[in-house]
């Protein structure tokens, strides 16, 4: 059986909020190392990969590998019942029909418990290799979100151009064009505002802004976002959760007749 | 007042046997060997000399039982029984004074239950029917060719009746019965006197008249309800659909009838409407007249012809009664010719109103059937297809709804995103 106690229910809430607009149904794969999730959107051009390591829970117990197939809209409805600082305990049998969610308010004077019906989801798993990216940009997640939403107002796609001068987000729409350029920036007072660009070679790629805006919903999870680019490979947008847990998004680049 | 007897003919010779066997069985309770007792209702005016006799049935010449009384004539037995679905039985208690006197102390023991629920009622029968097969014999045997009928004495005629197991010769020994039969014969026959004996020859016109009078009496006094329902009302009933049409047309043509009063009146009197007709039917009659005079479209006249006039109903009743008599008492060959001459043009009654009505009714029925069949098939086909389409649509709608409920707004909006030029992720990452 599975029993995973998460000190902050808000983590799961935010994760589900971030991905529920990308995928409809997905499996939470539980094993002794933690809870993992991998799912693609309907068009199969974007992929979300989540890993909640066992260390993030206290305690964490998973006797055997189980897949909890849930509809994310339904899970959202249940998680809406949780306060952000509630303690969340996820429980499931070894061959579960339902997933049990228990919310304890920090004062321990309120306990709410929900059973969510599970579904069988046939999902293909992709093996994602460790990739050495040509450019890795670390920046405040709010900044990335702002850039994406601003540019999305003008155009459907954004060109991301990483060079040794900085990273330039540019778009070209019907009403005109625009661009945002960020340079490396280090602040000792506010390390969360740091912009760090690691570059092995210049990269220029085009991506769908609608998808990027969607990814940015995970900004609440982490102050910093890591964006990794390489020619001819999907963009990686990674939000670090507590410890070594992460939420990663992959997006296929637009190739060919862009602009 | 009729007497009820619990035994087979108590006065007849075999009755003694039946009596003794019954009382014996009542005492010893051995299984009943003979026929179970039957319940008869005999006419009280029949004298004690009346006998149950076997005579050939006039319709099929099979030996049948009749009650012959030297004074009051001949009676046939009508069997009245409950339908098989409602089993009944008789409890017969022989406690009347006469029975007690006869069976003495066994009186109470002789009460018994019979399995059969039949009740046999003796009803008066015109002896004419009994001798009719003999009178018509030549005709029946010669077929269609007009036979040469000879004047024969009553004995010669009666000898032609089937002789086996017939008690006819016995009852003819009663003077009254012989006189009765001969008088009835003379009613349908041409007679000549040859010496002290009368010679008879069947006259079909006379026979027809006699049967007609019987049928008339029968229809006048009212047919039995079941018979009336089945052979009169049902036959004359018009298809329901057109009745509605009729009432509409009635309303529309009423002003017409008002304006053309003289014609309408004359038409009504022509059609000899009986005085007992209801208000509604008189309205329909006037509207008929009005529309026919005005020469309006055909469907309206047909529609108004649907209401059977009392005259038509009377004719149908008469016909039914006549056919019933023919079917029950008259040999089939003779019955056919009688029916032909009765309903034919030279018959005693003019059946043309009834025939006209039936013809128009038949036409109407076939039309209605055709229309209905068309309507029905077309409607049905359409219904089925529509139903299917509707169900399919509904199912799809529901699926869609369910799907929509399970996917978030973001997911729905992402579907609209232009993903041209974007390769699928499976192109970059290997499947596990």
């Amino acid at each position: 059986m599975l029993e995973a106690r998460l000190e902050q229910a808000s983590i799961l809430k935010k994760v589900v909020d971030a991905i529920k607009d990308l995928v409809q149904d997905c499996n939470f794969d539980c094993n002794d190392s933690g809870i993992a999730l991998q799912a693609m959107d309907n068009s199969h051009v974007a992929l979300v990969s989540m890993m909640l390591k066992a260390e993030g829970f206290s305690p964490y117990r998973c006797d055997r590998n189980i897949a909890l197939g849930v509809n994310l809209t339904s899970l959202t409805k249940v998680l809406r019942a949780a306060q952000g600082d509630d303690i969340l305990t996820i429980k499931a049998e070894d061959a579960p029909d339902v997933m049990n969610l228990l919310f304890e308010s920090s004062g321990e004077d309120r306990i709410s418990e929900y059973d969510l019906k599970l579904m069988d989801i046939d999902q293909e798993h992709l093996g994602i290799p460790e990739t050495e990216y040509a450019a890795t940009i670390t920046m405040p997640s709010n900044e990335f979100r702002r850039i994406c939403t601003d540019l999305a107002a003008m155009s459907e796609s954004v060109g991301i151009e990483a060079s040794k001068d900085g990273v330039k987000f540019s778009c070209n729409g019907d009403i005109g064009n625009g661009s945002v350029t960020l340079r490396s920036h280090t602040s000792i007072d506010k390390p969360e505002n740091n912009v760090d660009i690691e570059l092995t070679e210049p990269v220029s790629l085009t991506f769908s802004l609608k998808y990027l805006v969607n990814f940015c919903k995970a900004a609440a999870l982490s102050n910093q976002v890591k964006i990794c680019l390489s020619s001819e490979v999907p963009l990686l947008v990674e939000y670090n959760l507590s410890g070594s847990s992460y939420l990663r998004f992959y997006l296929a680049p637009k190739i060919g007749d862009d602009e | 007042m009729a007497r009820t007897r619990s035994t087979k003919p108590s006065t007849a010779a075999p009755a003694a046997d039946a009596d003794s066997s019954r009382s014996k069985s009542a005492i010893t309770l051995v299984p009943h060997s003979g026929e179970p007792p039957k319940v008869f209702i005999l006419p009280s005016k029949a004298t004690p000399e009346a006998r149950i006799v076997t005579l050939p049935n006039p319709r099929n010449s099979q030996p049948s039982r009749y009650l012959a009384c030297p004074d009051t004539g001949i009676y046939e037995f009508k069997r009245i029984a409950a339908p098989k679905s409602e089993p009944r039985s008789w409890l017969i208690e022989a406690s009347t004074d006469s029975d007690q006197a006869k069976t003495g102390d066994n009186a109470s023991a002789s009460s018994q239950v019979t399995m059969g629920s039949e009740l046999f009622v003796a009803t008066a029968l015109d002896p004419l029917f009994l001798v009719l097969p003999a009178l018509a014999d030549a005709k029946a045997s010669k077929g269609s060719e007009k036979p040469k009928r000879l004047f024969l004495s009553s004995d010669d005629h009666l000898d032609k009746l089937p002789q086996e197991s017939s008690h006819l010769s016995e009852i003819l020994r009663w003077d009254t019965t012989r006189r009765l039969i001969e008088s009835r014969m003379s009613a349908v026959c041409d007679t000549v006197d040859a010496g002290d004996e009368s010679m008879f020859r069947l006259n079909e016109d006379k026979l027809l008249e006699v049967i007609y009078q019987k049928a008339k009496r029968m229809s006048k006094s009212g047919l039995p309800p079941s018979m009336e329902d089945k052979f009169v009302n049902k036959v004359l009933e018009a298809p329901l659909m057109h009745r509605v049409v009729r009432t509409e047309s009635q309303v529309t043509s009423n002003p017409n009838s008002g304006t053309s009063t003289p014609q309408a009146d004359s038409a009504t009197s022509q059609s000899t409407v009986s005085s007992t007709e209801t208000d509604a039917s008189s309205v329909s009659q006037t509207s008929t007249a009005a529309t026919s005079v005005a020469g309006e479209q055909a469907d309206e006249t047909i529609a108004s012809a649907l209401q059977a006039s009392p005259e038509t109903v009377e004719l149908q009743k008469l016909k039914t009664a006549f056919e019933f008599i023919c079917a029950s008492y008259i040999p089939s060959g003779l019955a056919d010719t009688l029916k032909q001459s009765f309903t034919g043009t030279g018959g005693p009654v003019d059946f043309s109103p009834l025939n006209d009505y039936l013809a128009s009714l038949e036409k109407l029925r076939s039309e209605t059937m055709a229309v209905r069949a068309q309507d029905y098939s077309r409607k049905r086909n359409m219904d089925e297809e529509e139903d299917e389409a509707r169900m399919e649509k509904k199912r799809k709608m529901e699926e869609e709804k369910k799907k929509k409920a399970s996917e978030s707004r973001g997911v729905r909006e992402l579907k609209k995103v232009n993903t041209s030029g974007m390769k699928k992720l499976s192109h970059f990452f290997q499947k596990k």
Side-chain angles (χ1 to χ4, degrees), chain B residues 9 11 23 31 39 53 162 170 199 222 280 294 306 313-314 327 356 362 399:
Chain B
T11 50
S23 57
V39 180
V53 295
E170 273 86 358
M199 307 291 270
L306 274 166
V313 175
E314 281 308 312
D356 289 350
E362 182 57 36
E399 264 172 32

Side-chain angles (χ1 to χ4, degrees), chain B residues 8 18 32 62 124 126 218 227 229-230 254 294 363 412:
Chain B
K8 277 183 84 172
H32 204 288
Q62 294 302 308
D126 190 343
M218 183 172 165
M227 198 188 259
D229 202 45
K230 194 168 174 189
N254 259 344
K363 196 173 144 210
R412 272 202 300 283

